[in-house]
Amino acid sequence: QQQVKQSPQSLIVQKGGISIINCAYENTAFDYFPWYQQFPGKGPALLIAIRPDVSEKKEGRFTISFNKSAKQFSLHIMDSQPGDSATYFCAAKYSGAGSYQLTFGKGTKLSVIP
Amino acid sequence: SAVISQKPSRDICQRGTSLTIQCQVDSQVTMMFWYRQQPGQSLTLIATANQGSEATYESGFVIDKFPISRPNLTFSTLTVSNMSPEDSSIYLCSVSRGGVIGTEAFFGQGTRLTVV
């Protein structure tokens, strides 16, 4: 059972445009939602994360929008740059005691073209 | 943050052999995690390694195939045993640290394994 569904699988955006990646989750116990960025040959790196008590979090050009009622969250990359070309993974986690496992989406390969 | 070093970074192995992957963390951590990432795919948790106890394996992964050692709080190894081409993947070591809003996961650069 896939608990975090991510779309699109791939995305091509012009330089300066907005990249939008969407995720939906099923488990209402999830209470921590990070996004990871992975470049080829590297491990995933934490980009930005949000808890469900806020609807939006912004860090530089990266914004997470969160819709608790719809059980959806999305990553927006403003003014996309070629250096943003990477694979992006959304994830979800339950923060209860003894819980450590992240559930990942299937990833979105972003290509930003000049 | 956490600095995680994995060795080897890549290897090409013959089927039927075994490969041990090492993971070294720059400071002590309670839990270490091993993931598999098949080409173009997402990350799948193999097992959680707690120092001083047996690793906990996720569904579909067994100790005989993926034995794990955790001799201290900064080091772990994952062995991929009796390899077949289906084991060709990237294997990632991960640790968790408390962050500003939640537990943050940090990853090593991965070990790219090709089985021929």
Side-chain angles (χ1 to χ4, degrees), chain A residues 32 36 38 43 49 51 89 104-105, chain B residues 33 37 42 58 101 103 105 108:
Chain A
Y32 175 66
Y36 285 83
Q38 186 178 28
R51 284 200 173 275
F89 294 95
F104 285 89
Chain B
F33 307 87
Q37 185 177 24
S42 187
E58 298 300 310
I101 67 166
T103 303

Side-chain angles (χ1 to χ4, degrees), chain A residues 6-10 21 87-90 104-109, chain B residues 42:
Chain A
Q6 184 172 347
S7 62
Q9 188 174 358
S10 62
I21 305 170
T87 299
Y88 292 81
F89 294 95
C90 62
F104 285 89
K106 292 196 171 186
T108 296
K109 186 175 182 179
Chain B
S42 187

Side-chain angles (χ1 to χ4, degrees), chain B residues 29-88:
Chain B
V29 293
T30 304
M31 312 285 284
M32 295 180 76
F33 307 87
W34 288 97
Y35 285 84
R36 183 173 72 182
Q37 185 177 24
Q38 294 178 306
Q41 301 296 314
S42 187
L43 288 78
T44 301
L45 182 65
I46 297 172
T48 302
N50 198 356
Q51 194 268 337
S53 63
E54 290 281 335
T56 302
Y57 289 82
E58 298 300 310
S59 175
F61 298 97
V62 296
I63 188 171
D64 289 346
K65 177 67 175 177
F66 298 101
I68 289 172
S69 77
R70 183 77 202 275
N72 58 52
L73 291 173
T74 62
F75 187 79
S76 178
T77 67
L78 170 76
T79 298
V80 186
S81 303
N82 188 25
M83 289 183 286
S84 67
E86 292 70 35
D87 295 319
S88 297

Side-chain angles (χ1 to χ4, degrees), chain A:
Chain A
Q1 180 186 11
Q2 182 189 356
Q3 295 193 49
V4 179
K5 295 183 179 180
Q6 184 172 347
S7 62
Q9 188 174 358
S10 62
L11 181 62
I12 300 174
V13 174
Q14 290 273 349
K15 177 182 176 181
I18 303 174
S19 304
I20 302 175
I21 305 170
N22 301 298
C23 284
Y25 63 98
E26 300 168 2
N27 188 345
T28 55
F30 287 147
D31 59 0
Y32 175 66
F33 302 90
W35 284 88
Y36 285 83
Q37 180 188 54
Q38 186 178 28
F39 293 103
K42 303 290 186 183
L46 179 65
L47 188 62
I48 186 173
I50 197 169
R51 284 200 173 275
D53 53 346
V54 298
S55 60
E56 185 176 283
K57 182 175 181 180
K58 184 176 181 179
E59 290 185 2
R61 296 185 294 109
F62 301 91
T63 300
I64 300 179
S65 296
F66 189 87
N67 185 329
K68 187 175 181 179
S69 61
K71 293 188 287 184
Q72 296 175 347
F73 58 110
S74 60
L75 176 70
H76 295 232
I77 305 174
M78 312 299 288
D79 188 25
S80 299
Q81 299 296 312
D84 297 329
S85 297
T87 299
Y88 292 81
F89 294 95
C90 62
K93 181 178 174 298
Y94 167 61
S95 298
S99 174
Y100 300 93
Q101 183 174 350
L102 278 167
T103 300
F104 285 89
K106 292 196 171 186
T108 296
K109 186 175 182 179
L110 171 65
S111 298
V112 181
I113 55 177

